[in-house]
Amino acid sequence: MSNGCGRGEQIGIMICNLRKFEPSEKKKTKRIPPANKSDKGDEIDPIKPVFVGEFPQIVHDEQASFLQRRVPADACISGGMDKGTCLSWIICGNKIFIWSYLSFAASKKCISLEIPSDVLENAELGRNSYHCNTWLLSVVNWDNTSKVTNRVAKHRYSAGIVLCNQKTRAVSYWSDIFADAGTAAVTSFASSDESLVTSSPIDGKTTPNRQQQRNRHGTSFTGSSFFNSLIASAVPGSQNACVALACCSTGELWQFYCSPSGIQRNRVYQNIQNLSSQDTGIGQLVGNKGYPRSMIWRLPYFSLSDSNRQFFLLTDHEIQCFNIKYVPDLEVSKLWSQEIVGSDADLGIKKDLAGQKRIWPLDLQVDDHGKVITVLVATFCKDRVSSSSYTQYSLLTMQYMSEVSTSSDVHERVLEKKAPIQVIIPKARVEDEDFLFSMRLRAGGKPSGSTIILSGEGTATVSHYYRNSTRLYQFDLPYDAGKVLDASVLPSTDDGEDGAWVVLTEKAGIWAIPEKAVVLGGVEPPERSLSRKGSSNEGSAQEERRNLMFAGNIAPRRASSDAWDAGDRQMTGMTGITRRTAQDEESEALLGQYFHEFLISGKVDGSLEKLKSSGAFERDGETNVFVRTSKSIVDTLAKHWTTTRGAEIVAMGIISAQLMDKHQKHEKFLQFLALSKCHEELCSGQRHSLQIILEHGEKLSAIIQLRELQHMISQNRSTGVGSKHSSSENQVSGALWDLIQLVGEKARRNTVLLMDRDNAEVFYSKVSDLEQVFYCLERHLEYIISLEQPVQFQIHRACELSNACVTIFRAAMDYKNEYHLWYPPLEGLTPWYCQLVVRNGLWSIASFMLQLLRESSELDMSAKSELYSHLEALTEVLLEASSGVITAKMERGEEHKGLLNEYWSRRDALLDSLYQQVKGFVEAQHQDATDGIEGNKEEILRKLSSSLLSTAKRHEGYQTMWNICCDLNDSGLLRNLMHESMGPRCGFSYFVFKQLYEKKQFSKLLRLGEEFQEELSIFLNHYRDLLWLHEVFLHQFSAASETLHVLALSQDESFISTTEDEINSDHANSIPTLTDRRRFLNLSKIAAFAGKDADSQTKVNRIEADLKILRLQEEIMEVLPSDDTKRHVEKQLLRPEELIELCLKSGSKELALHVFDVFAWTSSSFRKSHKTLLEECWKNAADQDPWSELYEASINEGWSDEETLHQLSRTILFQASSRCYGPKAETIEDRFEEVLPLRQETGEVAGTKDTRSSVEAILMQHRDFPYAGKLMLTAIMLGCVQEEHVKIEEGVSPMV
């Protein structure tokens, strides 16, 4: 490893001493004075706004020309921002300029539209009080109806523009401003009778102080009516047609149907104020201006499949909700209205309070869900003590009540207060109505729940409810920077929350207000106006200056990405307000000092101990100071990348040079860690931190290789390589380029400090966030590869993305292999490329490619081959990532079953699909072969599947390995793979055995067992019908005897395997018979003799006993009558207790004696556990003979001893006693006396503790025992002592 001291030191010094980038435009430098740096050097003021970008150059040029043609005092430039499409626009003279405020300034595509001359002739363009902006503009989005989260990924926009002049009410419409051929405007003018319509107050009332205001400030809007608000929406099912709605100061609601062929205008309502049956008692309509005030769609995004859309309208005392029905004809109808200014404070704002003179609802906004409505309200009040007048500004927040129907003609309450009225400024100066009506409200930016109030004078004030109080943050540029034209928010990222506030200024470009600036820079509401004028309350001037020292005429610093090199200090401004501890700052500064000295001198004297003392080794992970320093190295922003050449930035060699500089400096940092002994300390105490530092090197190496890949792709495209997959509109773009744009755009949106940088520049700079590449692949793949594109084009773009992923992974692996000695022990540590976001991103593109393979049957072989080769490489990467995280989980002892299932399912899906493609390639090549012999086909398959086989072997893709071996019919390859792939549970061998068993190829299975003896033994533990054969082959006769014995007595009816031949010949019999069981027992007996173990005789005795029980079952089946019970059990192996119970239930005298044979051939444990059943057998035996008749015959006939013996020997009691207790009674293990003695113990009498502990006690309970008891006892006593005196009938003995 080269140290590169001289070169590394020079580069390090150069990087550390790079001067800050300054704006190239002199006019911007002059207009925005440089801000003072804080004591910490590069760290920026957290409460200052952030400069996002300048206007496109065409806008600058037109502004300069426009100002030269007119006196500055009369010049008027208007503009706005559309949140739905992220478009900003400026009207300058007779031109409209439209561009995306998300785009980097150098790459902005700006659309220029010319306002028709006949529309301008009647428009007053001069500056007139606060209503300089006489234009209303609405953007119609044709592209989609969802939030704009990935607009940067789209190559083309599609939007229409509706422009309306407030005074003349002329409407112009451009159907598609982004069309290649351009679109001419269509225009509609108000008729003469329409423009002269005026309206007088409905109730004839005048408002307080109105005459006074006219005298003080003069009046405008006289003699004609004005449009106050304009909204527009696409019409479903039409081609670039939209409907626009405008509310007029006369109380009218106008509808405009705009299409490329013309505009149809229609007055929907004559006087909206009269739609409400409620009378508020305050001036609803004053003269011919003011109300209705504002309109807004309830939902900002809607589906083109919807046939209805709702919108809200704000009047002077209520909120009205309308519905527009698109099909079959346009129809506007009112749904409901609710008073917000009235006598009920629960409904909104209570009127007629003491000191309250007039209430103006000024503007309203609605949240993205259409549930919460925020209204900006101004209230004119008079202090009864001092008699001074003032204006109070407040926000009223309403929400839909739960379970309220909003169908047509609703008269019940629909809205309720979400929170008490939020007072923004309690006592502000009195303003005229022109100023009040120029105020606009915007909602949705960060911090969550904040709003921004725009005034006609050009100020913007953010209101945020923080820590139980309202906080205000005022964005106010100097007068020479122009007004604030409009405000919007950065589009929501994937967490669903909108981003920071962005502000469009008249001359100073676009600025952003970070969340932290609002939280830390907000102050308590002052007693001042929202205008540029001072407060009318002079006594509060000092307090006002103290609270708003950051506002006024002090220009906010251009806090752009130039300050990023200070490290990650600025990042906290975007993620929260928690500051790092002083110890953290001291440790990081100390480390930076020592590293800088090392770059200059190469010395590290005493740095380890001092760093230890500063607490540099106390944190682990991302917060570790060494990790933060490493991250600052790899994430450094270049000061000289910014260019005006747009997409060409990615082709510049300076990018590669900057990345190599980072790489060399990071290597120097590793050398510093090693020489200072910090590496050893991190390796022993902070393994995770050291891993992250080295992963920064992996990511940097990957970014460098990705840069080279993009450069190669650009060169190939410029020279026409791969042009068959490209279209003319994408010659300067590609899938990887779009992905880079997506990732860079996401970083810019999340960090407003980067908004003035190009997306590609941000991507190549933010090295530590390389995981975001895979995040965007997972979430936004459909934006990069559209399903509407041709399949060939989809394949090309998918392969490009796959190649990028593989390049990243391989570069990281190469770095890890090269620097493996630097890594700490990695047990239990999860690499960055094994994280969930990376795996999901890889799977997203892999699954898309799988789908292409399955659905692209008509593709030519070259396209399929390209897709296959890239998917094969991607499969290897994905499986390596999955196996890596599983290994880490296992090392930590954590649950990983879910990860295993994910790994297995993805592996099997990928390998199986790839192998199917291989077989298709083989068939195609075989058909093209000249000889066409079978052997040639196998050779083709062997060659094409070799790489896939290696991948399958590394990741235990046993099904694919098996399929390849079978298709090649190569038993040698199969055996080699079985030897090489020894994973869990014997690995591939186990899988092969299972496949052979399922295919009933038992002979092949057992032959493999000759080579894989131990592995087959493990497998056959689950298949004992074959295990004994393998054990006999291994000469394990005792084990084979035990296996056969267990097999014979198994209750599993399907334990006998059916061979493949039996299945094909239809002779399969999966139910084992008693004959099968007898055969297993005899084989077990033979194996036991062959085993010659010390206990082999005992085993033989047990086997013989089981044979006798089996024979007894066969004999019992012969005795039982033929019925359903017999047919059900005759082929089953009955358990001993089942056999005994069957005999007892049969009532057969012969079977009553067999039960004792069953007990005899079982074990002593069985007899003990079934003692109650044994007692029942003795009771049943006593019931088999007529003892009362025998007793009477013995008395009447006077039996002699010989006759008595002869008669009793025929009884079941006598025979059972002889079988169980006789001198020749045979049993397994203990005798019957151990469980149930024949006689009672001496001294035991009836009725004592246990009268059933002997056969005698059982007989004493018999019904005939009182008079035949002596005879019954004589029978059992004679039976237990007789030897050859009693001759048992032939066939009865169980020994036969």
Side-chain angles (χ1 to χ4, degrees):
M1 182 169 53
S2 175
N3 52 26
C5 294
R7 170 65 174 167
E9 292 175 5
Q10 293 175 5
I11 293 177
I13 296 172
M14 180 184 69
I15 293 177
C16 293
N17 294 330
L18 278 176
R19 59 185 179 85
K20 297 299 179 183
F21 171 79
E22 295 295 339
S24 59
E25 296 88 357
K26 293 182 179 180
K27 54 187 176 183
K28 179 166 61 180
T29 305
K30 181 178 179 180
R31 183 171 63 250
I32 307 296
N36 294 327
K37 294 183 179 179
S38 65
D39 295 336
K40 293 187 179 181
D42 286 337
E43 187 172 12
I44 66 172
D45 190 338
I47 68 172
K48 293 298 183 181
V50 175
F51 182 75
V52 172
E54 271 289 351
F55 296 137
Q57 189 60 42
I58 186 176
V59 179
H60 273 305
D61 296 341
E62 183 65 24
Q63 284 181 326
S65 174
F66 179 72
L67 292 175
Q68 290 176 359
R69 295 194 304 266
R70 291 181 173 270
V71 179
D74 296 330
C76 177
I77 297 177
S78 58
M81 309 178 81
D82 182 72
K83 177 181 176 182
T85 57
C86 299
L87 294 177
S88 51
W89 51 273
I90 278 184
I91 299 178
C92 187
N94 65 338
K95 293 183 178 180
I96 308 174
F97 300 96
I98 304 170
W99 72 97
S100 172
Y101 60 79
L102 294 181
S103 301
F104 170 60
S107 61
K108 293 184 190 299
K109 178 181 179 180
C110 184
I111 302 298
S112 175
L113 303 177
E114 186 171 348
I115 302 175
S117 57
D118 49 356
V119 175
L120 289 173
E121 290 176 357
N122 297 323
E124 296 181 5
L125 298 177
R127 183 182 298 269
N128 189 352
S129 186
Y130 304 103
H131 284 272
C132 167
N133 184 7
T134 60
W135 301 102
L136 298 175
L137 186 147
S138 183
V139 181
V140 184
N141 184 13
W142 306 122
D143 278 340
N144 54 63
T145 54
S146 60
K147 289 188 177 182
V148 180
T149 58
N150 293 287
R151 176 71 66 187
V152 68
K154 303 184 71 66
H155 297 292
R156 295 177 58 84
Y157 295 83
S158 181
I161 295 294
V162 179
L163 179 69
C164 176
N165 186 281
Q166 289 184 270
K167 181 177 178 60
T168 66
R169 306 205 290 190
V171 177
S172 298
Y173 173 61
W174 291 264
S175 60
D176 190 354
I177 60 174
F178 293 100
D180 293 335
T183 304
V186 293
T187 303
S188 172
F189 296 95
S191 61
S192 58
D193 55 342
E194 172 189 328
S195 60
L196 295 176
V197 172
T198 59
S199 177
S200 58
I202 294 176
D203 55 1
K205 298 181 181 179
T206 59
T207 59
N209 270 14
R210 174 152 184 83
Q211 188 63 38
Q212 176 185 352
Q213 293 174 26
R214 287 178 180 270
N215 294 336
R216 286 177 53 191
H217 305 291
T219 182
S220 56
F221 301 96
T222 58
S224 62
S225 59
F226 282 77
F227 279 155
N228 291 327
S229 184
L230 174 72
I231 57 176
S233 171
V235 175
S238 62
Q239 182 66 33
N240 288 359
C242 73
V243 59
L245 298 165
C247 60
C248 184
S249 58
T250 60
E252 300 169 340
L253 180 63
W254 285 84
Q255 169 188 298
F256 303 93
Y257 180 80
C258 306
S259 66
S261 59
I263 301 175
Q264 301 175 11
R265 53 197 305 142
N266 177 37
R267 182 164 50 195
V268 180
Y269 287 105
Q270 177 71 36
N271 196 323
I272 298 176
Q273 302 283 60
N274 290 334
L275 294 178
S276 175
S277 60
Q278 304 171 9
D279 183 11
T280 64
I282 64 176
Q284 291 131 313
L285 199 60
V286 180
N288 54 4
K289 72 169 230 181
Y291 293 97
R293 182 77 244 134
S294 177
M295 290 192 302
I296 189 172
W297 295 112
R298 179 182 176 184
L299 294 173
Y301 313 100
F302 82 112
S303 172
L304 290 177
S305 61
D306 294 341
S307 59
N308 298 273
R309 194 175 184 185
Q310 297 179 14
F311 64 91
F312 297 123
L313 185 144
L314 179 67
T315 71
D316 66 335
H317 68 287
E318 66 182 4
I319 297 174
Q320 299 180 3
C321 181
F322 292 83
N323 179 73
I324 180 170
K325 184 178 179 181
Y326 294 108
V327 292
D329 298 314
L330 292 176
E331 179 182 351
V332 178
S333 58
K334 180 181 177 183
L335 294 181
W336 54 263
S337 64
Q338 180 165 322
E339 185 180 63
I340 59 172
V341 178
S343 58
D344 189 351
D346 293 335
L347 295 180
I349 302 175
K350 185 175 178 61
K351 66 171 186 174
D352 297 333
L353 295 177
Q356 186 184 94
K357 301 302 182 181
R358 174 79 190 270
I359 300 173
W360 291 273
L362 299 178
D363 198 5
L364 85 163
Q365 288 284 294
V366 63
D367 69 336
D368 287 342
H369 303 289
K371 298 294 185 181
V372 179
I373 303 172
T374 304
V375 183
L376 175 64
V377 181
T379 306
F380 174 64
C381 303
K382 187 172 184 179
D383 193 318
R384 291 182 296 176
V385 177
S386 63
S387 298
S388 62
S389 299
Y390 61 89
T391 302
Q392 183 180 94
Y393 297 96
S394 57
L395 293 175
L396 171 65
T397 305
M398 308 292 290
Q399 66 181 2
Y400 270 86
M401 300 177 64
S402 59
E403 300 180 358
V404 171
S405 172
T406 57
S407 59
S408 182
D409 299 328
V410 172
H411 299 290
E412 61 180 356
R413 287 178 55 184
V414 177
L415 305 177
E416 62 182 356
K417 274 188 180 180
K418 182 180 180 181
I421 296 177
Q422 177 185 347
V423 177
I424 301 175
I425 300 180
K427 290 187 177 181
R429 64 173 290 117
V430 176
E431 308 284 358
D432 58 21
E433 281 189 327
D434 287 346
F435 175 81
L436 294 180
F437 287 147
S438 72
M439 297 177 69
R440 290 162 292 158
L441 180 67
R442 300 289 183 264
K446 287 185 177 181
S448 179
S450 64
T451 58
I452 192 166
I453 300 100
L454 305 169
S455 73
E457 282 193 332
T459 62
T461 306
V462 181
S463 172
H464 172 48
Y465 193 74
Y466 180 64
R467 293 182 178 177
N468 299 322
S469 65
T470 300
R471 312 280 289 183
L472 298 182
Y473 178 93
Q474 184 157 0
F475 177 92
D476 193 2
L477 294 180
Y479 280 101
D480 64 339
K483 295 181 177 182
V484 172
L485 300 180
D486 202 353
S488 184
V489 297
L490 295 177
S492 63
T493 53
D494 297 284
D495 57 7
E497 295 185 0
D498 285 329
W501 289 106
V502 286
V503 176
L504 174 67
T505 65
E506 188 177 17
K507 302 176 183 178
I510 297 177
W511 294 68
I513 306 175
E515 179 181 7
K516 188 176 182 180
V518 178
V519 174
L520 294 182
V523 297
E524 295 288 342
E527 292 187 10
R528 61 160 290 168
S529 171
L530 293 175
S531 70
R532 294 180 184 267
K533 303 173 184 177
S535 171
S536 59
N537 188 345
E538 296 180 359
S540 63
Q542 183 177 358
E543 178 184 359
E544 177 184 343
R545 286 193 298 271
R546 183 175 64 251
N547 291 338
L548 296 177
M549 60 183 179
F550 63 90
N553 290 331
I554 301 176
R557 175 185 174 181
R558 187 187 187 277
S560 68
S561 56
D562 296 333
W564 192 260
D565 289 342
D568 287 339
R569 289 190 289 267
Q570 294 85 346
M571 280 293 293
T572 58
M574 306 306 109
T575 58
I577 62 172
T578 303
R579 293 184 179 272
R580 303 179 64 221
T581 64
Q583 179 177 326
D584 295 334
E585 299 284 353
E586 178 185 352
S587 299
E588 190 171 349
L590 188 61
L591 175 59
Q593 175 186 342
Y594 285 135
F595 180 51
H596 182 69
E597 293 175 357
F598 171 76
L599 292 175
I600 299 175
S601 64
K603 298 180 180 180
V604 292
D605 299 336
S607 57
L608 176 62
E609 296 302 325
K610 293 181 180 179
L611 287 171
K612 281 185 178 180
S613 302
S614 68
F617 295 94
E618 293 181 0
R619 295 179 181 267
D620 194 12
E622 296 285 351
T623 57
N624 181 276
V625 295
F626 295 95
V627 173
R628 291 175 58 83
T629 301
S630 173
K631 184 177 181 181
S632 68
I633 293 173
V634 299
D635 285 351
T636 300
L637 273 174
K639 304 300 183 298
H640 48 278
W641 280 14
T642 304
T643 174
T644 59
R645 288 180 286 173
E648 295 180 10
I649 182 175
V650 79
M652 294 173 59
I654 194 171
I655 298 180
S656 298
Q658 174 70 13
L659 291 174
M660 291 307 300
D661 288 347
K662 287 185 178 184
H663 178 70
Q664 293 176 7
K665 188 172 183 181
H666 194 263
E667 280 189 337
K668 297 293 290 183
F669 183 64
L670 293 180
Q671 294 175 18
F672 167 77
L673 295 180
L675 295 175
S676 64
K677 306 297 182 182
C678 292
H679 181 273
E680 296 180 7
E681 190 70 23
L682 290 171
C683 192
S684 60
Q686 286 86 24
R687 291 191 305 131
H688 188 206
S689 297
L690 184 55
Q691 179 200 24
I692 297 175
I693 293 171
L694 290 164
E695 285 182 347
H696 287 158
E698 295 176 13
K699 294 176 180 178
L700 183 55
S701 179
I703 283 287
I704 292 173
Q705 293 301 316
L706 200 63
R707 165 69 190 90
E708 296 304 317
L709 175 63
Q710 174 61 30
H711 180 63
M712 181 184 67
I713 293 173
S714 299
Q715 285 185 329
N716 291 340
R717 184 173 291 109
S718 63
T719 57
V721 178
S723 59
K724 63 181 180 179
H725 300 296
S726 305
S727 59
S728 58
E729 65 181 15
N730 289 284
Q731 288 300 314
V732 295
S733 182
L736 178 56
W737 171 250
D738 288 343
L739 178 61
I740 290 172
Q741 292 291 300
L742 266 176
V743 179
E745 177 69 11
K746 186 174 185 296
R748 290 175 65 242
R749 293 187 192 178
N750 291 336
T751 309
V752 293
L753 291 175
L754 301 174
M755 287 299 294
D756 64 333
R757 297 282 180 148
D758 179 78
N759 290 333
E761 180 181 352
V762 173
F763 171 81
Y764 284 115
S765 298
K766 296 285 290 179
V767 174
S768 64
D769 290 340
L770 187 57
E771 296 92 341
Q772 295 302 313
V773 168
F774 304 94
Y775 178 88
C776 290
L777 279 177
E778 177 195 0
R779 298 296 185 92
H780 312 306
L781 183 62
E782 68 276 9
Y783 290 93
I784 306 175
I785 308 176
S786 173
L787 296 178
E788 300 176 357
Q789 296 170 336
V791 175
Q792 292 276 3
F793 192 76
Q794 294 182 43
I795 291 176
H796 180 71
R797 293 178 72 84
C799 291
E800 190 173 312
L801 294 178
S802 174
N803 192 23
C805 295
V806 173
T807 299
I808 291 173
F809 187 86
R810 289 177 177 173
M813 290 296 97
D814 291 342
Y815 181 93
K816 193 170 187 178
N817 294 333
E818 181 180 355
Y819 293 87
H820 67 278
L821 296 177
W822 293 85
Y823 282 79
L826 297 177
E827 289 79 8
L829 297 179
T830 303
W832 70 270
Y833 49 79
C834 297
Q835 296 176 7
L836 178 63
V837 62
V838 178
R839 301 196 314 273
N840 287 347
L842 291 171
W843 175 245
S844 179
I845 182 64
S847 59
F848 181 82
M849 297 173 75
L850 278 179
Q851 192 69 18
L852 286 177
L853 279 176
R854 293 172 184 150
E855 297 179 353
S856 304
S857 57
E858 304 299 328
L859 287 177
D860 57 76
M861 292 306 298
S862 61
K864 286 186 176 181
S865 178
E866 179 187 15
L867 189 59
Y868 171 85
S869 61
H870 284 89
L871 181 57
E872 184 182 32
L874 184 64
T875 297
E876 177 67 23
V877 170
L878 175 59
L879 296 183
E880 287 293 338
S882 298
S883 62
V885 69
I886 293 172
T887 300
K889 286 274 189 179
M890 294 175 64
E891 292 171 348
R892 294 195 298 266
E894 298 176 359
E895 174 61 36
H896 57 278
K897 183 178 180 181
L899 289 174
L900 279 174
N901 292 332
E902 170 196 295
Y903 173 54
W904 292 336
S905 63
R906 292 179 177 180
R907 176 199 63 194
D908 294 342
L910 289 167
L911 294 181
D912 179 67
S913 181
L914 288 173
Y915 185 60
Q916 295 303 318
Q917 292 302 312
V918 168
K919 294 172 69 175
F921 296 152
V922 170
E923 291 295 333
Q925 291 189 24
H926 181 64
Q927 291 177 3
D928 296 337
T930 57
D931 50 1
I933 59 175
E934 188 67 24
N936 185 44
K937 184 176 181 180
E938 291 182 357
E939 288 302 320
I940 295 173
L941 176 60
R942 189 182 303 274
K943 179 181 178 181
L944 295 180
S945 63
S946 60
S947 177
L948 182 62
L949 181 61
S950 299
T951 301
K953 186 168 63 173
R954 282 193 297 272
H955 296 281
E956 301 176 7
Y958 296 149
Q959 185 64 57
T960 301
M961 296 164 63
W962 167 261
N963 292 338
I964 293 175
C965 292
C966 290
D967 292 339
L968 290 174
N969 194 23
D970 190 340
S971 60
L973 176 62
L974 180 67
R975 284 181 163 83
N976 290 336
L977 292 175
M978 292 172 67
H979 282 294
E980 295 171 2
S981 303
M982 304 300 292
R985 294 198 309 170
C986 302
F988 186 47
S989 299
Y990 192 95
F991 181 86
V992 172
F993 296 149
K994 187 174 181 181
Q995 293 296 313
L996 292 174
Y997 185 89
E998 292 176 351
K999 294 177 180 297
K1000 311 301 179 183
Q1001 298 177 356
F1002 303 131
S1003 59
K1004 294 182 180 180
L1005 174 64
L1006 294 174
R1007 282 198 297 271
L1008 279 176
E1010 299 174 5
E1011 187 174 349
F1012 302 92
Q1013 299 177 4
E1014 183 180 353
E1015 292 82 359
L1016 185 59
S1017 297
I1018 296 174
F1019 172 79
L1020 291 179
N1021 278 329
H1022 302 285
Y1023 308 98
R1024 293 181 176 271
D1025 56 326
L1026 299 178
L1027 176 61
W1028 69 273
L1029 291 170
H1030 185 58
E1031 291 171 337
V1032 169
F1033 169 78
L1034 299 177
H1035 291 183
Q1036 299 173 358
F1037 298 111
S1038 297
S1041 175
E1042 184 66 26
T1043 300
L1044 286 163
H1045 198 180
V1046 173
L1047 198 61
L1049 303 180
S1050 174
Q1051 296 295 325
D1052 186 1
E1053 296 181 354
S1054 60
F1055 68 86
I1056 295 183
S1057 301
T1058 306
T1059 64
E1060 186 177 24
D1061 294 337
E1062 289 173 332
I1063 293 176
N1064 296 333
S1065 60
D1066 297 330
H1067 293 305
N1069 182 15
S1070 61
I1071 301 177
T1073 64
L1074 298 181
T1075 302
D1076 295 328
R1077 298 181 184 276
R1078 186 187 302 109
R1079 177 168 57 85
F1080 285 128
L1081 287 173
N1082 288 327
L1083 290 172
S1084 177
K1085 183 177 179 180
I1086 296 172
F1089 279 125
K1092 298 180 181 180
D1093 292 343
D1095 59 345
S1096 60
Q1097 187 58 48
T1098 303
K1099 294 180 179 179
V1100 171
N1101 294 338
R1102 178 68 264 173
I1103 295 170
E1104 289 178 343
D1106 289 330
L1107 278 168
K1108 291 173 181 178
I1109 295 176
L1110 190 61
R1111 186 181 303 166
L1112 282 174
Q1113 178 174 340
E1114 293 175 338
E1115 293 177 357
I1116 291 170
M1117 292 298 104
E1118 295 176 359
V1119 175
L1120 286 176
S1122 298
D1123 56 10
D1124 293 338
T1125 302
K1126 179 178 180 179
R1127 286 191 295 271
H1128 178 66
V1129 302
E1130 63 181 353
K1131 293 184 179 181
Q1132 297 182 359
L1133 177 66
L1134 299 180
R1135 295 192 301 270
E1137 62 271 23
E1138 294 176 339
L1139 198 58
I1140 292 170
E1141 291 174 354
L1142 185 63
C1143 294
L1144 294 178
K1145 292 178 182 179
S1146 67
S1148 170
K1149 187 174 183 178
E1150 182 179 358
L1151 296 183
L1153 186 59
H1154 280 326
V1155 296
F1156 296 102
D1157 293 329
V1158 177
F1159 272 110
W1161 299 124
T1162 56
S1163 61
S1164 59
S1165 61
F1166 177 83
R1167 291 189 285 270
K1168 290 178 181 178
S1169 60
H1170 295 82
K1171 182 179 179 181
T1172 302
L1173 185 58
L1174 179 58
E1175 294 172 353
E1176 293 295 327
C1177 291
W1178 279 106
K1179 290 179 181 181
N1180 181 65
D1183 291 337
Q1184 299 302 317
D1185 296 300
W1187 290 105
S1188 60
E1189 296 178 4
L1190 291 175
Y1191 173 72
E1192 292 177 358
S1194 66
I1195 297 300
N1196 295 334
E1197 298 176 5
W1199 288 349
S1200 62
D1201 291 340
E1202 291 77 4
E1203 183 66 21
T1204 300
L1205 177 59
H1206 176 71
Q1207 293 293 335
L1208 292 180
S1209 64
R1210 299 177 179 178
T1211 64
I1212 297 300
L1213 281 179
F1214 181 91
Q1215 297 177 37
S1217 177
S1218 176
R1219 174 67 185 85
C1220 299
Y1221 300 97
K1224 295 185 178 181
E1226 297 182 10
T1227 59
I1228 297 297
E1229 299 175 354
D1230 298 334
R1231 295 175 60 85
F1232 276 89
E1233 285 88 345
E1234 299 298 328
V1235 178
L1236 189 66
L1238 188 64
R1239 297 295 301 277
Q1240 291 186 153
E1241 298 292 336
T1242 305
E1244 185 178 341
V1245 296
T1248 58
K1249 181 178 179 182
D1250 187 2
T1251 59
R1252 302 180 61 188
S1253 60
S1254 64
V1255 176
E1256 179 182 359
I1258 295 172
L1259 295 179
M1260 291 173 65
Q1261 301 178 27
H1262 196 271
R1263 62 182 180 277
D1264 293 337
F1265 189 82
Y1267 43 85
K1270 185 177 181 181
L1271 196 61
M1272 298 171 70
L1273 292 177
T1274 301
I1276 63 173
M1277 293 308 298
L1278 289 175
C1280 73
V1281 298
Q1282 291 297 315
E1283 296 183 2
E1284 300 295 337
H1285 302 291
V1286 180
K1287 191 174 183 180
I1288 305 300
E1289 291 184 17
E1290 189 75 11
V1292 175
S1293 172
M1295 302 304 296
V1296 177

